Amino acid sequence: MAAETESRPVPAALPPPLRAWFGVLAALAAVAVAVLAAVYAGHGEAGRADRWVMDPTADSVRPPWRGVALAVDFLGEPVGAAVLVLAAVTGCLLLRRPRAAVSAVAGTGVAVVVATLLKSLVGRTIHGPGNLSYPSGHTAFLTALALALALALLPAGRPGPGGAAGASLALAAALVAGAAMGWAQVALGAHYPTDVLGGWCTALAVVPVTAWLVDRIADRIAERRGHRQQGYQ
């Protein structure tokens, strides 16, 4: 029984069939983040693309939808985000997916840090000079969490679907999460639509790389343990 447990592979944070797909996607997302940053650097008002989607300075939503937007927004606030991450980690550990748990924490953490740094570098503001807006950290957080969990837990990480199907499932999860939080941010006037797009792309650029690093580090630790065990024998 012990030998069977040791030989059982640990589920990856980024399944090998999806690495090529999401490597390309991460590169494209990083380019999109950079392009948007260059276009809107130093701006303090909505661009043409923003006004075409929704005017973020207007009172866009009324009750009861405003309540929904506030509830979704809370998921990106420190308390709400901590509760979500804790629930995600607990679920991953109960499912015996330790790499998924680490990827969920690392992916969201790195995405938020990158979004925060970009805000200072880009200098785009909304509702006054003190409110940095690009990219949306709330959108980056929720997208990153959904994508990290989808890559490791959805059927994309199992032998069933091929690379394209698995990538589509994981990307759909990221799209739904990003769209929900993005809508809330724009509806509440906290961000421009292009800020939301930048936050979504930030998560897509960061999470696959972070998940790959989690797998690399975990594999090396497992190899070292294996060598030590062989040495003891």
Side-chain angles (χ1 to χ4, degrees), residues 39-69:
V39 170
Y40 294 107
H43 286 209
E45 57 184 19
R48 182 180 300 176
D50 300 311
R51 290 190 293 268
W52 181 76
V53 176
M54 182 186 294
D55 186 356
T57 62
D59 187 6
S60 307
V61 290
R62 304 279 183 179
W65 289 108
R66 185 170 181 81
V68 175

Side-chain angles (χ1 to χ4, degrees), residues 105-124:
V105 175
T108 55
V110 174
V112 170
V113 168
V114 170
T116 302
L117 292 176
L118 284 173
K119 283 183 178 180
S120 298
L121 290 173
V122 176
R124 190 186 196 189

